[in-house]
Amino acid sequence: MAQFDKGFIIMAALIVVACPRCAAVQPLYSLQPSSLAYMDSAQSSYLELAALIEAGAEATARKYFASANVTEGHGKVLYMVYSDSNFYKTRLDWILQTWVAQLPSNSLMVIGDAAPKEPMAVNVHSTSCPAHSHWEGACCKYAEAVILAQKMMKKDRTFKWAYFVDDDAY
């Protein structure tokens, strides 16, 4: 198992668990012994997901920095866009034609549930998060984006800020 930066893993796990629609989040009055057992199993699955997220983020950061000239001319802001493969040809293309078109390509990372089927003019990080889910999937992608941004900013200290945005911000 990978060595974790515990502060970021805990923060990311809290983001995932804090989603109002997550099955493991229940009102205090509804906690019964059976629901506590369910929460224990949910916590275990969240820890497994956290390990997958950590490993995936590390692999993407290594791949990103293995590319030539990725640290030149990107500015001080790392832009993290979370998307879903259902929207690669619509929302993602639209932002690539609007505000993203003004950014250096090496300052942008897309967090999605799958690799694009066709080549895109953007780095797409495939997650282990639930696909096609606005609730759990989006929360999980946001958490993974935080972890990946932290890893990228740790390796390239010229990034001073990280900007997180959904793919429907035009």
Side-chain angles (χ1 to χ4, degrees):
M1 188 174 285
Q3 183 66 28
F4 300 125
D5 185 338
K6 290 183 179 23
F8 279 92
I9 291 297
I10 290 168
M11 179 177 60
L14 288 173
I15 291 168
V16 173
V17 173
C19 291
R21 301 284 302 254
C22 287
V25 177
Q26 300 178 20
L28 191 57
Y29 61 81
S30 73
L31 294 179
Q32 303 297 322
S34 61
S35 62
L36 291 174
Y38 172 77
M39 287 178 67
D40 284 343
S41 70
Q43 180 182 9
S44 174
S45 65
Y46 282 127
L47 292 175
E48 291 168 11
L49 180 59
L52 288 172
I53 288 171
E54 176 76 16
E58 184 63 36
T60 295
R62 277 195 312 271
K63 181 179 164 186
Y64 174 85
F65 287 104
S67 301
N69 300 325
V70 293
T71 61
E72 294 179 13
H74 58 58
K76 295 181 179 182
V77 180
L78 175 60
Y79 296 87
M80 306 294 282
V81 177
Y82 30 101
S83 186
D84 186 277
S85 58
N86 286 340
F87 302 120
Y88 289 173
K89 290 188 176 191
T90 54
R91 293 177 180 178
L92 195 52
D93 273 346
W94 296 335
I95 65 168
L96 288 170
Q97 295 170 21
T98 57
W99 64 272
V100 170
Q102 301 171 33
L103 302 176
S105 63
N106 57 358
S107 67
L108 175 71
M109 180 65 68
V110 174
I111 310 298
D113 61 299
K117 292 178 180 159
E118 299 171 12
M120 297 190 77
V122 66
N123 295 307
V124 177
H125 167 76
S126 299
T127 73
S128 300
C129 298
H132 318 307
S133 164
H134 181 71
W135 297 105
E136 291 87 354
C139 293
C140 181
K141 287 177 202 166
Y142 178 76
E144 191 155 350
V146 169
I147 292 169
L148 180 57
Q150 183 263 344
K151 288 187 174 302
M152 293 176 71
M153 293 175 78
K154 203 173 192 180
K155 291 182 187 235
D156 182 351
R157 299 286 186 182
T158 59
F159 284 125
K160 301 296 180 195
W161 296 91
Y163 180 76
F164 301 89
V165 64
D166 200 345
D167 61 3
D168 60 356
Y170 311 110

